[in-house]
Amino acid sequence: MMLSTFAAALILQSSPVTADQLSWMSGYWLSCDDGREVSETWSDPRGGLMLGTALTLEGGKLTGFESSRISPASSAGGNVAYFAGVNGAPPVAFAAKETSGTRVVFENAGHDFPQRVIYERVGDVLNARIEGHMGDRDQSMSWSYRKADLNTRCPT
């Protein structure tokens, strides 16, 4: 079993990463930790494209939002890229560098922070992580979302 999993990962990495391979990200995801409500929504892949939105509320007030997409990009070496525009800023591209089953790593080594965006699904949980370095320090942030019905809110 270990050998076949390793071989499958190598096969996936040697062929282009497509939006269809990331359909496991589709859905409405909600995190209700530390008084914050963070929701992330991903469309299913259609025509090689996935669209995403994220909203962060603290104390019922909007503190951040993101518009994103996963789509083919000429700069991604045949792979899709994750394009993220935070709080209305122009989108930044992160090329898909590796994927296996229910995990994907996007990377943009030239971006200030983050340089990597990682998604991994474990059952009904979607874990998201950004990581990289700023100055001389490594930094990271993580979110753990649970699958929820569309537009579910955190309990108050």
Side-chain angles (χ1 to χ4, degrees), residues 7-17 77 79 97 99:
L10 287 177
I11 291 168
L12 282 175
Q13 290 178 8
S14 65
S15 60
V17 178
N79 292 329
K97 292 296 182 185
T99 186

Side-chain angles (χ1 to χ4, degrees), residues 73-125:
S74 58
S75 62
N79 292 329
V80 292
Y82 172 80
F83 295 85
V86 178
N87 295 329
V92 176
F94 297 82
K97 292 296 182 185
E98 62 182 77
T99 186
S100 59
T102 56
R103 183 175 189 272
V104 63
V105 177
F106 299 98
E107 188 173 287
N108 179 338
H111 189 249
D112 56 2
F113 181 83
Q115 286 88 38
R116 282 173 301 290
V117 178
I118 303 162
Y119 282 95
E120 184 172 23
R121 182 167 176 180
V122 180
D124 281 345
V125 174

Side-chain angles (χ1 to χ4, degrees), residues 25-30 37 39-42 146-153:
M25 290 175 58
S26 299
Y28 181 76
W29 304 93
L30 184 64
E37 175 177 307
S39 63
E40 189 159 327
T41 308
W42 283 99
R146 292 218 164 267
K147 191 149 186 74
D149 290 332
L150 183 62
N151 297 323
T152 298
R153 303 292 305 270

